[in-house]
């Protein structure tokens, strides 16, 4: 099956915080990678149907909160749609971007959006990393393999590849 094949690609699990002038939100993401050393840049793939997308598009900033291997509960919490997900979790605005930062994770980065393009059914966002900190040097990161059953992606893959 295509989903079984694609899950062999390794990813972490992150809580992506977004904000604009009037709203904040956060969602779980795994499709994130570093794409440049200097300047330090990352790419994030986001479904434009998520509530977080319009906030990210408007605010042009996001945070990356790196989950620990025992933080599956946070991956579940932020992996669901909802308008009040941040209300039950401790967070603060990032120093530079004001995007939500969770203090209990392994590390966080703050990012400023440079480009976004359509990428199939997602938007591919590139962003400069403008701040960040390691919060716990001893913890191990949560891997997508341990959380992939939560994202409903099994049903989203096509039966076969498009050539
Ligand atoms: C483990 C896991 C990984 C996910 N990875 C992504 C991702 O990389 N990109 C994305 O757009 N959604 C991803 N999702 C789905 C969103 O987290 C989910 O649809 C969420 O409800 C969106 O929240 P929002 O509508 O409040 O923005 C993932 C979900 C889980 C549980």
């Amino acid at each position: 099956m295509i989903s079984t094949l694609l899950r062999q690609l390794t990813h972490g699990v992150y809580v992506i915080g977004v904000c604009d002038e009037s709203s904040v939100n956060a969602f779980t993401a795994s499709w994130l990678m570093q794409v440049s050393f200097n300047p330090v840049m990352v790419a994030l793939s986001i479904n434009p149907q998520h509530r977080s997308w319009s906030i990210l598009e408007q605010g042009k900033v996001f945070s990356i909160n790196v989950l620990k291997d025992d933080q599956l509960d946070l991956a579940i919490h932020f992996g669901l749609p909802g308008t009040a997900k941040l209300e039950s979790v401790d967070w603060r605005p990032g120093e530079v971007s004001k995007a939500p930062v969770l203090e209990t994770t392994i590390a966080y980065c703050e990012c400023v959006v440079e480009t976004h393009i359509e990428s199939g059914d997602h938007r591919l966002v590139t962003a400069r990393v403008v701040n960040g900190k390691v919060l716990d040097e001893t913890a191990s990161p949560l891997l997508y393999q341990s959380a992939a059953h939560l994202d409903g992606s099994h049903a989203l893959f096509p039966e076969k590849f498009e050539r």
Side-chain angles (χ1 to χ4, degrees):
M1 278 183 102
I2 294 184
S3 62
T4 312
L5 168 64
L6 270 291
R7 280 176 189 178
Q8 306 314 310
L9 304 181
T10 46
H11 303 284
V13 183
Y14 312 97
V15 172
I16 304 297
V18 294
C19 69
D20 63 15
E21 282 192 355
S22 54
S23 326
V24 286
N25 197 37
F27 72 103
T28 302
S30 284
W31 288 355
L32 177 100
M33 66 188 286
Q34 182 179 345
V35 293
S36 165
F37 280 127
N38 190 8
V40 181
M41 289 182 67
V42 294
L44 166 72
S45 187
I46 173 171
N47 185 330
Q49 295 188 350
H50 293 346
R51 176 168 177 264
S52 300
W53 165 244
S54 56
I55 301 173
L56 194 160
E57 188 182 23
Q58 196 67 32
K60 298 183 176 58
V61 291
F62 62 89
S63 62
I64 304 166
N65 298 277
V66 184
L67 294 185
K68 299 180 186 179
D69 58 2
D70 63 357
Q71 290 182 317
L72 199 60
D73 54 335
L74 285 178
I76 296 169
H77 180 75
F78 286 105
L80 296 170
T83 52
K85 283 183 273 185
L86 282 162
E87 278 177 18
S88 53
V89 173
D90 278 341
W91 66 277
R92 63 170 176 82
E95 297 92 322
V96 177
S97 66
K98 308 282 179 259
V101 166
L102 312 182
E103 288 284 11
T104 58
T105 62
I106 293 187
Y108 70 90
C109 296
E110 294 182 70
C111 306
V112 175
V113 172
E114 294 227 327
T115 64
H116 56 83
I117 55 162
E118 200 176 294
S119 175
D121 53 13
H122 278 52
R123 299 291 303 185
L124 185 62
V125 180
T126 65
R128 219 160 3 98
V129 179
V130 292
N131 190 37
K133 195 172 168 190
V134 176
L135 302 170
D136 185 344
E137 287 180 12
T138 61
S140 301
L142 180 62
L143 299 182
Y144 179 61
Q145 255 184 344
S146 316
H149 61 286
L150 302 171
D151 68 1
S153 62
H154 198 71
L156 302 176
F157 284 98
E159 289 282 306
K160 51 185 180 158
F161 294 112
E162 234 177 77
R163 293 199 178 150

